[in-house]
Amino acid sequence: QVQLVESGGGLVQAGGSLRLSCAASGSIVSIRAMGWYRQAPGKQRELVATITRDSSTNYADAVKGRFSISRDNAKNTVYLQMDSLKPEDTGVYYCNGDILGLGTGYRTRWGQGTQVTVSS
């Protein structure tokens, strides 16, 4: 069973930092693109950042210059470094990955989410 598990969320004051991690586990052959998404209360889920296997990155305008996505292919892990946090960054953060399993084709997998709360 392929799983993605996020960690590193929590409560932080505006201007502070958090580092999120997302580790994929199971019978994994390869992972193509990975990404981070977030959902604020009462809002739709939105893209935060994506990263390809060769580490090309893309960011939402709202986080560009403050957040940095990275990955460790040997560990099947993607990270999101969040600096200069703002209250509007509050939400549940989800990671995903386009994952090739041992006995299946590529499928998009999602983690369960981790809460990030930024106080003013």
Side-chain angles (χ1 to χ4, degrees):
Q1 178 86 0
V2 174
Q3 290 186 308
L4 294 170
V5 179
E6 301 96 334
S7 62
L11 175 64
V12 66
Q13 288 186 271
S17 298
L18 285 172
R19 187 173 191 252
L20 306 183
S21 299
C22 174
S25 63
S27 300
I28 297 169
V29 176
S30 185
I31 305 177
R32 297 191 293 202
M34 303 186 80
W36 287 96
Y37 297 74
R38 68 187 182 187
Q39 187 166 19
K43 301 292 184 66
Q44 293 185 325
R45 189 174 301 185
E46 65 179 0
L47 170 74
V48 176
T50 60
I51 184 167
T52 65
R53 184 169 176 82
D54 67 353
S55 294
S56 295
T57 58
N58 182 65
Y59 298 92
D61 288 343
V63 307
K64 198 163 189 175
R66 299 187 297 118
F67 292 10
S68 180
I69 188 171
S70 61
R71 65 189 288 171
D72 185 335
N73 292 332
K75 299 172 70 173
N76 290 327
T77 299
V78 63
Y79 307 93
L80 186 68
Q81 177 67 44
M82 304 185 293
D83 298 322
S84 302
L85 282 161
K86 304 174 180 179
E88 51 262 47
D89 295 320
T90 293
V92 179
Y93 283 68
Y94 301 88
C95 70
N96 78 351
D98 190 17
I99 301 175
L100 179 66
L102 184 60
T104 64
Y106 277 98
R107 297 182 185 274
T108 299
R109 308 283 188 176
W110 289 87
Q112 82 288 345
T114 186
Q115 177 70 43
V116 172
T117 303
V118 184
S119 65
S120 60

